[in-house]
Structures are given as structure tokens and as C-alpha cells.
Amino acid sequence: MKRVRFGVIVFPGSNCDHDAHHVAGAILGQEARFIWHKEGSIGDVDVVIVPGGFSYGDYLRCGAIARFSPVMQDVVRFAKRGGLVIGICNGFQILTEAALLPGVLLRNASLRFSCKDVQLRVERTDLPWTNRCTTGEVLRVPIAHGEGNFFAEAETIKRIEGNGQVLFRYAEPDGRLTEASNPNGSINNIAGIVNEQGNVLGLMPHPERASDPALGNTDGRKIFDSLVAAVLSTHAGALVAPAERN
Amino acid sequence: MHQFKPILRQDPPVTSELAKEHGLTAEEFERIHEILGRMPTYTELGIFSVMWSEHCSYKNSILMLKTLPREGGRLLVAAGEENAGLVDIGDGMAVAFKIESHNHPSAVEPYQGAATGVGGILRDIFSMGARPIAALNSLRFGTLEDPHTRYLFKRVVKGIGDYGNSFGVPTVAGEVYFEQCYARNPLVNAMAVGIVEHTGVAKAFAKGTGNSVMIVGSSTGRDGIHGATFASEEISEASEAKRPAVQVGDPFTEKLLLEATLEAIKTGCVVGVQDMGAAGITCSTSEMSAKGESGMIVDLAHVPLRESGMTAYEIMLSESQERMLFIVKKGHESDVNKIFDKWDLHAEVIGTVEHGRDLIVKVDGEVVANIPAETLVLGGGAPVYRRDAKEPEYLKETRSFDTASLKMPHDLTGELRRLLRHPSIASKRWVFEQYDSMVRTNSVVTSDGDAAIVRIKGSRKGLAVKTDCNGRYVYLNPRVGAQIAVAESARNVVCVGATPVAITNCLNFGNPYDPEVYWQFREAVIGIGEACRHFETPVTGGNVSFYNESPESAVYPTPVIGMLGILEDVEKAVSGRITNEGLEVLLLGPLSDDLGGSQYLTDRLGRPVGDCPLLDLNIERTVQQTVLEAIRAGFVAAAHDIADGGLAVALTEMLLSAPGLGISITLDLSPGMRMDGVLFGEAQSRILIAVAREHVEAIKALAKSKGTAVTKMGTVDATGEICVNGGVLRIRVEEARGIYEQAIPEMLKGEL
């Protein structure tokens, strides 16, 4: 059986790299490999995961140094060709620094690091990331960040909202968007966005922490299951990569 | 490749006054003279002063520590032999774990003090070749009404969070108490737990003449010079001026050092590893040399420095963080270099392992220190003292209190509200949400359980961990109070379904030269030993922190216990939270109205009085065995021990997770029993369990066979209310949750 090839980028200071690898490999039964940040090429992979952690200690600014790592040149090339790239937490910050995604992630409104379960409302299901979800479905997934407060200028917000680029929003368990359900002050309760083509996703919550039944919550696995289904159907010719569609 | 070189300069003349300034007594200085057969050099004086400081030598505690059960069971190394304790968990795997204090640094620079406390204990774990999989902390502060305490509290929590979060270890459990006595001398104890294959354990010794001595990790600067000596004296007004003695941490470098160290150990070319914590190069070179029964020559000209003009004295005493000393097989230095280059870290050969037993320190070939290594270290030539002990005067007063003189309160519900609002009892959410408790995806139970559980990937096993100590109990009765710390930590581990197997301890006391303090210390160590023998949980190691006093008061004697438990099947784990109505709540252990040492009694009187709570080690053990067997049999939906705030608080806590739940309980008091004592007393050896109705009879039979008392409390309902005996105490769970959750945030309101 064809298996999806996941590549997990390892920067100095990445610390959720093993967690992502564990889900892709041991939990989903797909192929998972680590890609060292000094590599010039990501090699033959179907999906790139830019994992959470504190790349380069988050010194200067979260993700600001990691984007200059040799491997990121190839990740950008891969993304521009329509390759699937998911940035989780620090990975999301790196993708915005690398200009693969719009906006920035500011310090949490509380000015404190926050680690807890939050609820995410799924806004679209016609993308490779959420095809196993239903629109408006609410997933329980943990966050763990000090700088996850999504911000962009009004014009950019208008554009990404207009394009339907917001994939996840912080919500109440019943799906209502409230200030109380927003853990970090993000504009419009934005928790995760995609690029215009839909092949690059960045999100602050950690779906890889909610994928293993041994930990009592598998809501996050829906994102990985969606991904696997999307890649396998692409190989079967049923789904054209978004970039080629344009 | 490095920019900075050490300098040789005219050292100040070594005199007895200078020795005294270094914290050495006249007798100790005389002894140094005897050992060397000459006056020490300035650098040698510095080396002796840190190695013979309380912090490194344990000179006033080691005789008592030797009375603790330090081997047996699953222990793979005896206490004190390696950087941390090592416990066999089967399948060829072992757990390395240890707790350590960073109280004095945290008192003067709380953010860096706490951060480097975490960094130091993590290095102790991975220097053994173990990957850290969990961190815990045990904290004591003054009261939150005091702005200085709020500052210390917030900065300590942030320091712990920032370091552990960036490093990538989940901080899974801990405890925080607020008592006036810790106002100027907070306690910051950090614990770390790691796992390692038996075959991959690294030793902390120097062996093999000709092998290379390498310093790896960060460069060396002037930070932390005399940190060990600073930790060996009381906090005073002058302590503020010693802020430069506090080290500065860099968790990013530590993360790289972890990966590089584990990779290097795997190559098989690393003979020995020791972390550089207190007393930096001095401690690691002399201890590895002494333990390996080898000599060592190091030349400080090869140490990567981050500052110009550093002297040999400064380099030897620097406590710059994120460094390790490696002993590497001759000819394999480049293998280590390759790995450290990959991680962008220094790895420099600074010397060699030699014949003989002397530690020789040079700068560009010129000898600046030449000392028999053995004479510097604990177990070797370091001084050992037995101090005078005297039962403290205050005990006469506290013991004379008669509970009968305490009036029954008019409003028991009001008393419960007050207890739930007490920051030592209230939710610590404000604290633990600042810690990444989930990274590495092994955390099965964290804040909802009496102990935390991390699973071991690739097996069915889990580790349960918890720290415990109620300093007030130990203050009122050092021996039994210390037994309670062990008993409670074991009970907490049992409540999540694990078998307690071993402890690490962090003994926080005042000045040992005060006979009353030394008496507290002696009694507490005896109590720990008795309890550990009873539970068959040997002591794997730990740390002693003396001189925890501030100008206003001495701290409560606080021997913090870090307990390790094992679950053979992690799927059998239970939490302390009830999630369904219809469950029966049972009390295992005696119904008691003992008020001794309770938060309730202390608050009512404004000071701690009476004896510590009742503890019978035999009852404790049978209650724990009963609960453990019931959990293993699958009978238990939730388990929570009765601790701070007593039965009423424990019951409330169990109901806080699922909205809408309530319970109506009936307490059948024997004549003469006090209702406030039954509700708020903190008598030990009691566990509340929630069980499905069909298991009640089986539990009763099991308890009977063990001789454990069982009392039915009531049935979980959907009233959303806790009601005792038809209304002597009645509170909406929603209100209780609000008080419990908001207490600490409200006390900190408006401050960042």
C-alpha cells in the first residue's frame, strides 16, 4: 500500500519534532523522517511539517532566524510548487516569517505563556487539511505558546477573510466565537490560516498532541487523517494539486 | 578559535582573614595547610572554599543522610554515587530522577534563579545519558498580600516556565504554598525525571590515563562566581549585593547540549560525564578525578571564555550554565567535536587523565593549583561535622494547645469558602498553565490527578511522580511531619494507580549551627528514614539546603519529598476528578476529627498550634494497598486523598471538573466528635474514591480483607450542590469553582 511520506524539519531548538514524527509514523502508520535544518533539500516527501518548539531559542523574534536556515529555501520552493506544508505553533511563526503565510504572531494578550486545551471551529472542509471534518465542527486541541496572538493589518485581514483563508477559529464548545474562548487575543479569533492556494497551513494549536488515544483525546488526528486521505487520493489522480489548478 | 585568553596576575596574599572571607573556619584553613604542606595559592583557596562549602560538601548533613535507607529494591546505584538516582523499571530501562533547591539565587534574582534551578537539575539527568521526560517543582513563598512576594512568585513561575518550555520538557506537577515564614527566603525546588537504557548509562568519573578531559557546551564567563558559597549562608540585606553570584540561564543552549550529549554518549567514546553546576570546573574536575581514583591535569588556557581578563580563580569558580565535563577516550576527541559542531556548541580538550590522584590546574603551562582531588570531596577529605541539637522552645507552646478550647464556628459553609480561597489550597491554574505540561506527548494525567503520569512510549508502562511537604506539619512535629511528607507523596502516587518505588528529597532548613534548627533537621531525617523503610521506598539522592532564614524569621523546616511510582499498565490510571453522576463516593481510612496542624486551625488562630495531623504508618500502608488493588481491579472511577483543607475541600475538588454535578453526604459522628474537625481536619491516611454502584460491595470486601475502614459518603447527583447532613454545610459547586479558580488571579489582579 502506498504510504504518505512526511518530512519533519528539525531546527536547533525544535522540541515538538518527535511528537509530530510519532503521530505520522507510529499513530498513522505512514512514513516519517526528520530533515535537519542544514540540509539543502527536503528530499522526496509528500508533506512537510514545520514543528513546534523554540527554533534558535526564539531569540530576536519567534521564527525570524529559522527562516534563514538552508532547508527553508527548499521548503519555500516546495510550497510554491503546491506542496503541502503545515506549520504548528513555532512552525506557524516560521511560515509567516518566511512569507508563506500572511500576518504575524504577537505576544499573547495576557503577556503569559499559556498551555491548555482550547476549542477550534472548523471553517472549511474543502481543503486537504480538513476533508474529514464537517463545517462548523468543534475540535478540542491544546495550545502551548507565549506568542500566538494573530495580527495583520485591516486590509490583509479583509483579504484573508474574503478568500476564506481562515481555517480554524477559537470558539466555545458549541461553536460560538467569544472573547472568553480566545486564549491569546487573536483578531477574529483566528487560530489557523492557509495561503491563497490552500496548500500551506499554519496553526497555533497542536493537533499532534491530540492524536494518540493513549492520551485521551484524538480530535487533532482528524487533521492528519484528512491529510493522508488527500495525499492518497492525489496519487490516485482524483485531486489535482491546487497550484496546478490555477 | 576563541577570542579571550585567561590572564595570570599578581594574586592577593593568602591570609587567615582572606580564608575567613571565603567562609572557611580557622580549623578548616589549618587543615588545608596540613593537606598541602604549604600555604594554598589564591586559586587553591578558592577551590577549597567552594568544595568545602556546605553546598558541595554536605559537611553538616552527611552523617544524618547516611542513616537513610539508600539501597535495595529497584535501585541501580546507591544514593550520592552518580549525578542522580537510578531506578530499574524493567525491560532494560531505568529512570534517573532528582530534586534540587535553588532558594538563595531565587531570593535575590527570582527569574534567573528559578530558571537555572531547572537547568541544573535537567543537566543532572541528561549527564547520566537519560532523556528528561518530566519536570516538577515545589515552591514556597510568603503571603500574596506582600508586593515583594507577588514579585518573587510571578518571576519564579515565569523563570521555571521559560526554561522548561523552551528546553522541551513537560512540567507535569508540583506544589505551591504561601506562608509568612518564606517571605524573604522563598523555596524553589526543581525536580527532573529521565529515562535511559541500562546499557546507555553514563558514569560521573575520570578513568583511563591519557584520556582527554573536554569541556563542552557554553563558554565560561564571570557569572555565578561563588554561587555555592553564597548558597551556604543566610539571606541578609547584603544578599542583594550578591546578585552577580546568580547564574544566567539559556534554555536554547541547554536543549542543544542535551541532544549533543546524548548523541556523544551513544558513540561509546565517552568514558565519563559530569554536569557543571555549583562550583563549575572545580567541582566537576575534582569529583570525577576522586571518584575515578585518577589524577587530572587541566590547562585553563583552552577553556572557551566569554569575557576578557579572567583569572584562573575566576575560571575555576565560574558557575556559567549549560556546560559539561567529558572524559573522552584518547583518539576519539574528533568524534565528540563532530557532534558538537553539528549542534554549534563548543567542545574543547582542556586536559588529560593522569596517573596519581592529584588535580593539577595550569594556565599556559604554569601551575596555579595542585591538590590531591580526594581531599576536596564529600566522602574524602571534606570536613564532616556533627552539630549540637536542642529541642526548640516554641514546641512547648504549640504542643500545649487544646483543641477543645476552640469554639465551633457558626458558619461551616463560610469556613469552606475561606479555605477554598486560601492560595495554598486554591487552584494553581494561574501557575501550571504557564508551563508546557504536554510536550513530548507522554502526559497521561497532569493537573487533574493527585500525581502526574507520563507514559513510556513503546511499552504499557507509566511513571507517576509527585512532590510533597507541608512545612507547617514539620514545624509542629519534625519527625512525624517528615513521615507525613513521605506518606502523602506515596498516597498521591497510589491515587493515580501507581506503586511507589523510590524517593528523592530536598531538605530545606535554617542555619545548622543553630541547635534548634539542627534538631529539626535530625528529627526530620529520622522521620523520612522511618517512613521510607515502612513503604519500601529507598532514598535515591537529593539535596540539602541550609541557611534558609531571613532577617524576620526562620522558614518552616521543609523536607520536600519527590516520589516516583510505576504503573505496569498506564491504561489503568485514574484521575481525581468525578465526571459522572450516579457514582458512589466512599471514604477509605478512618473518619477523624483531628484538627492538628490543619490550615483551618491555623487560620482560626492566626498561628500554627497543636501537633501535626495524626499519622499511623500501618494504617497508611493498608489504606494505600487497598486503593491500589481497587484501582488495578478496575473498580475506581476517581481517587483523591484528603490533604490541605480536609474532607470538605477534597470532596469539593473532586466535583469541580464536570458542570452540574453535586452530592449530598451524611456524616455519622460518634459522640464528642467535632463537625469542623471532621470536615476540615487533615488527619492522614484517608482517600476518597468514586466507584460505580456495582463495585461497592467488592470494594467493601477488599477493604475488610485489608482491615481498612470504609465509610459511605453519598451518591453523586445532578443537583449542582454539595450538602452535608441536610444543610450544616451547603454550597453550589459553581460558586465553589469560582472561588477556587479565581482566588490567585484576584490576588494578582492588575499586575503583570
Side-chain angles (χ1 to χ4, degrees):
Chain A
M1 199 189 84
K2 160 78 187 165
R3 292 199 301 166
V4 179
R5 296 161 302 177
F6 284 88
V8 181
I9 309 289
V10 182
F11 296 102
S14 293
N15 62 32
C16 304
D17 45 350
H18 286 267
D19 303 351
H21 188 281
H22 176 73
V23 170
I27 303 291
L28 300 178
Q30 307 299 318
E31 198 181 308
R33 72 176 79 139
F34 291 114
I35 304 169
W36 183 239
H37 71 114
K38 288 179 186 169
E39 301 286 334
S41 158
I42 55 172
D44 241 353
V45 296
D46 301 307
V47 181
V48 169
I49 301 180
V50 188
F54 289 71
S55 58
Y56 297 92
D58 275 357
Y59 296 142
L60 183 58
R61 196 171 64 239
C62 302
I65 306 178
R67 64 164 285 218
F68 292 109
S69 267
V71 76
M72 279 308 292
Q73 312 296 322
D74 204 36
V75 171
V76 170
R77 267 196 300 275
F78 178 74
K80 294 259 157 87
R81 286 200 311 266
L84 294 166
V85 177
I86 173 172
I88 301 168
C89 196
N90 191 227
F92 184 11
Q93 295 161 345
I94 293 167
L95 295 182
T96 62
E97 287 288 339
L100 284 174
L101 290 171
V104 292
L105 294 141
L106 305 177
R107 285 187 73 185
N108 295 349
S110 69
L111 301 184
R112 289 192 302 274
F113 187 93
S114 180
C115 175
K116 61 181 182 183
D117 279 348
V118 296
Q119 272 76 31
L120 299 183
R121 191 176 80 187
V122 179
E123 302 292 276
R124 283 176 68 178
T125 56
D126 59 342
L127 290 170
W129 316 103
T130 46
N131 59 54
R132 291 299 177 92
C133 304
T134 53
T135 305
E137 182 176 355
V138 176
L139 307 175
R140 182 165 61 93
V141 178
I143 55 163
H145 60 248
E147 296 170 53
N149 181 354
F150 184 80
F151 178 82
E153 14 182 323
E155 213 172 290
T156 309
I157 294 290
K158 203 173 149 197
R159 193 180 75 240
I160 62 177
E161 290 285 8
N163 290 342
Q165 286 174 247
V166 177
L167 191 53
F168 301 109
R169 290 183 212 271
Y170 302 111
E172 298 290 339
D174 62 9
R176 281 178 305 124
L177 304 181
T178 60
E179 208 181 312
S181 61
N182 183 345
N184 51 30
S186 290
I187 290 185
N188 296 354
N189 284 36
I190 291 172
I193 55 168
V194 293
N195 62 350
E196 277 185 44
Q197 294 73 29
N199 63 307
V200 177
L201 165 66
L203 77 171
M204 286 314 295
H206 286 270
E208 82 283 12
R209 296 185 180 189
S211 293
D212 188 338
L215 302 181
N217 176 10
T218 53
D219 282 8
R221 186 176 164 158
K222 288 197 171 175
I223 295 170
F224 294 103
D225 283 340
S226 297
L227 206 41
V228 170
V231 173
L232 294 180
S233 61
T234 306
H235 284 290
L239 187 134
V240 179
E244 290 163 47
R245 198 170 45 199
N246 290 338
Chain B
M1 68 176 268
H2 0 101
Q3 207 177 337
F4 302 115
K5 286 285 173 197
I7 57 161
L8 278 170
R9 66 155 196 227
Q10 194 61 42
D11 286 329
V14 174
T15 61
S16 52
E17 285 74 42
L18 190 65
K20 201 174 161 201
E21 278 171 33
H22 277 71
L24 292 162
T25 65
E27 296 74 36
E28 287 168 351
F29 185 51
E30 180 55 34
R31 175 87 191 107
I32 291 167
H33 198 271
E34 265 170 45
I35 287 169
L36 298 175
R38 58 177 165 80
M39 279 296 258
T41 66
Y42 182 57
T43 303
E44 287 170 339
L45 182 72
I47 291 172
F48 272 105
S49 76
V50 288
M51 289 307 294
W52 287 10
S53 71
E54 189 69 54
H55 191 80
C56 291
S57 74
Y58 291 79
K59 57 190 169 190
N60 288 307
S61 61
I62 187 65
L63 287 176
M64 282 312 302
L65 298 181
K66 281 184 171 169
T67 68
L68 293 169
R70 298 190 297 169
E71 50 193 15
R74 295 164 171 264
L75 259 57
L76 295 174
V77 297
E81 218 165 78
E82 296 292 342
N83 288 331
L86 201 59
V87 172
D88 181 22
I89 57 165
D91 306 327
M93 300 295 291
V95 171
F97 74 117
K98 192 179 180 189
I99 189 167
E100 234 172 39
S101 64
H102 235 216
N103 306 338
H104 288 71
S106 303
V108 296
E109 213 305 280
Y111 179 80
Q112 291 295 347
T116 54
V118 174
I121 196 65
L122 289 168
R123 279 195 304 284
D124 273 332
I125 301 306
F126 69 81
S127 64
M128 296 182 73
R131 180 175 283 278
I133 61 163
L136 300 87
N137 54 76
S138 177
L139 311 177
R140 304 290 181 282
F141 298 97
T143 56
L144 285 172
E145 289 76 24
D146 172 11
H148 185 68
T149 289
R150 293 200 294 275
Y151 155 75
L152 292 175
F153 173 53
K154 287 181 293 191
R155 297 300 290 170
V156 163
V157 169
K158 184 157 173 60
I160 291 171
D162 282 359
Y163 205 100
N165 297 348
S166 175
F167 178 83
V169 65
T171 301
V172 295
E175 28 154 19
V176 192
Y177 280 92
F178 301 89
E179 305 260 13
Q180 180 57 35
C181 63
Y182 303 110
R184 287 295 179 274
N185 194 135
L187 304 185
V188 176
N189 293 179
M191 173 170 160
V193 184
I195 52 170
V196 57
E197 288 176 23
H198 288 191
T199 51
V201 176
K203 299 269 184 199
F205 61 32
K207 275 204 187 291
T209 304
N211 282 340
S212 286
V213 180
M214 295 182 82
I215 187 167
V216 305
S218 278
S219 55
T220 298
R222 287 194 173 88
D223 51 325
I225 290 174
H226 273 305
T229 315
F230 168 51
S232 305
E233 59 191 31
E234 290 172 27
I235 296 279
S236 65
E237 295 295 322
S239 300
E240 288 292 307
K242 298 207 170 163
R243 196 164 288 138
V246 178
Q247 313 84 339
V248 177
D250 174 5
F252 169 59
T253 301
E254 179 112 329
K255 163 71 172 164
L256 305 185
L257 184 61
L258 159 76
E259 300 298 342
T261 299
L262 294 187
E263 248 183 83
I265 290 170
K266 276 216 174 75
T267 63
C269 58
V270 179
V271 176
V273 184
Q274 184 158 339
D275 136 58
M276 283 192 208
I281 299 179
T282 293
C283 187
S284 52
T285 51
S286 54
E287 289 191 352
M288 290 184 88
S289 175
K291 195 172 294 165
E293 300 182 344
S294 303
M296 192 184 286
I297 297 178
V298 295
D299 194 325
L300 302 181
H302 303 301
V303 175
L305 301 178
R306 65 172 77 137
E307 291 180 67
S308 66
M310 286 184 76
T311 63
Y313 177 97
E314 289 172 324
I315 296 168
M316 287 303 285
L317 268 57
S318 161
E319 294 188 6
S320 288
Q321 299 289 290
E322 292 92 26
R323 299 178 301 161
M324 296 261 195
L325 197 71
F326 276 26
I327 307 299
V328 177
K329 278 182 193 160
K330 191 178 165 62
H332 289 272
E333 299 82 357
S334 63
D335 298 344
V336 172
N337 279 124
K338 220 158 102 190
I339 291 166
F340 279 76
D341 279 350
K342 174 183 157 190
W343 292 99
D344 299 319
L345 292 172
H346 294 288
E348 295 294 327
V349 175
I350 61 167
T352 49
V353 179
E354 298 287 333
H355 290 297
R357 300 289 183 88
D358 294 340
L359 172 64
I360 297 168
V361 182
K362 298 179 179 176
V363 174
D364 272 326
E366 185 167 327
V367 174
V368 293
N370 185 346
I371 306 171
E374 185 72 11
T375 65
L376 291 167
V377 302
L378 162 70
V384 176
Y385 302 127
R386 186 184 300 278
R387 302 249 69 90
D388 292 336
K390 178 175 159 287
E391 188 172 298
E393 282 298 316
Y394 72 80
L395 286 173
K396 289 198 183 81
E397 195 228 316
T398 56
R399 280 177 189 153
S400 67
F401 177 77
D402 179 11
T403 313
S405 65
L406 185 76
K407 278 203 195 121
M408 273 294 290
H410 298 297
D411 178 10
L412 289 166
T413 308
E415 294 298 324
L416 175 60
R417 285 192 190 97
R418 196 176 46 71
L419 285 168
L420 290 171
R421 195 175 286 120
H422 193 290
S424 293
I425 290 173
S427 169
K428 306 302 183 297
R429 186 176 304 281
W430 189 89
V431 176
F432 66 70
E433 283 188 352
Q434 295 189 57
Y435 305 148
D436 188 338
S437 55
M438 309 173 188
V439 63
R440 302 201 64 77
T441 56
N442 296 320
S443 307
V444 176
V445 174
T446 53
S447 55
D448 278 353
D450 281 16
I453 297 177
V454 285
R455 54 115 179 238
I456 310 279
K457 282 198 184 98
S459 80
R460 300 180 69 85
K461 290 196 174 86
L463 303 177
V465 284
K466 183 69 172 78
T467 64
D468 276 301
C469 179
N470 187 320
R472 191 174 57 244
Y473 298 171
V474 188
Y475 173 78
L476 293 171
N477 187 333
R479 188 178 298 200
V480 179
Q483 288 179 346
I484 289 175
V486 178
E488 186 177 357
S489 63
R491 198 185 316 132
N492 281 324
V493 157
V494 162
C495 281
V496 296
T499 309
V501 295
I503 73 155
T504 174
N505 58 24
C506 193
L507 309 176
N508 306 275
F509 287 81
N511 184 339
Y513 289 81
D514 174 344
E516 294 195 347
V517 167
Y518 195 76
W519 188 87
Q520 293 174 329
F521 173 73
R522 196 181 70 187
E523 287 291 302
V525 173
I526 293 169
I528 291 170
E530 287 167 347
C532 285
R533 284 188 186 88
H534 196 82
F535 298 114
E536 296 172 73
T537 52
V539 182
T540 62
N543 164 243
V544 179
S545 172
F546 282 133
Y547 304 98
N548 291 293
E549 308 209 4
S550 48
E552 301 88 47
S553 62
V555 302
Y556 288 155
T558 313
V560 175
I561 305 298
M563 181 65 78
L564 175 73
I566 298 178
L567 286 93
E568 290 301 325
D569 183 355
V570 80
E571 284 186 16
K572 295 263 170 72
V574 301
S575 84
R577 295 292 191 257
I578 293 171
T579 51
N580 302 95
E581 64 171 295
L583 294 172
E584 302 286 339
V585 176
L586 307 177
L587 168 68
L588 295 182
L591 192 68
S592 164
D593 70 346
D594 170 45
L595 274 171
S598 63
Q599 186 70 54
Y600 167 78
L601 182 61
T602 307
D603 291 352
R604 288 274 317 262
L605 294 167
R607 63 186 197 285
V609 290
D611 200 346
C612 70
L614 286 177
L615 172 72
D616 178 322
L617 288 173
N618 292 316
I619 293 177
E620 180 73 49
R621 185 124 201 231
T622 54
V623 168
Q624 290 187 19
Q625 284 170 342
T626 307
V627 170
L628 201 49
E629 283 186 33
I631 291 174
R632 287 206 188 114
F635 295 155
V636 179
H640 185 29
D641 84 319
I642 294 178
D644 306 73
L647 172 66
V649 165
L651 189 67
T652 306
E653 286 173 336
M654 290 184 85
L655 291 166
L656 291 179
S657 281
L661 297 182
I663 193 167
S664 180
I665 69 169
T666 305
L667 297 169
D668 191 7
L669 272 53
S670 354
M673 272 180 117
R674 304 174 60 113
M675 185 52 100
D676 59 345
V678 172
L679 289 171
F680 308 125
E682 298 175 12
Q684 298 297 296
S685 318
R686 301 184 302 154
I687 297 173
L688 291 173
I689 58 172
V691 298
R693 194 161 296 154
E694 64 264 30
H695 297 315
V696 170
E697 286 313 310
I699 298 256
K700 282 184 175 166
L702 174 67
K704 196 175 174 195
S705 74
K706 300 270 179 201
T708 298
V710 189
T711 312
K712 185 182 160 176
M713 297 280 104
T715 309
V716 180
D717 55 37
T719 59
E721 183 179 83
I722 296 168
C723 176
V724 178
N725 286 12
V728 298
L729 184 153
R730 188 191 291 274
I731 191 168
R732 300 289 303 167
V733 175
E734 202 53 47
E735 186 203 345
R737 182 187 298 117
I739 294 170
Y740 184 78
E741 290 293 347
Q742 287 310 312
I744 289 179
E746 274 172 12
M747 286 175 165
L748 299 174
K749 201 161 227 165
E751 296 175 344
L752 295 173

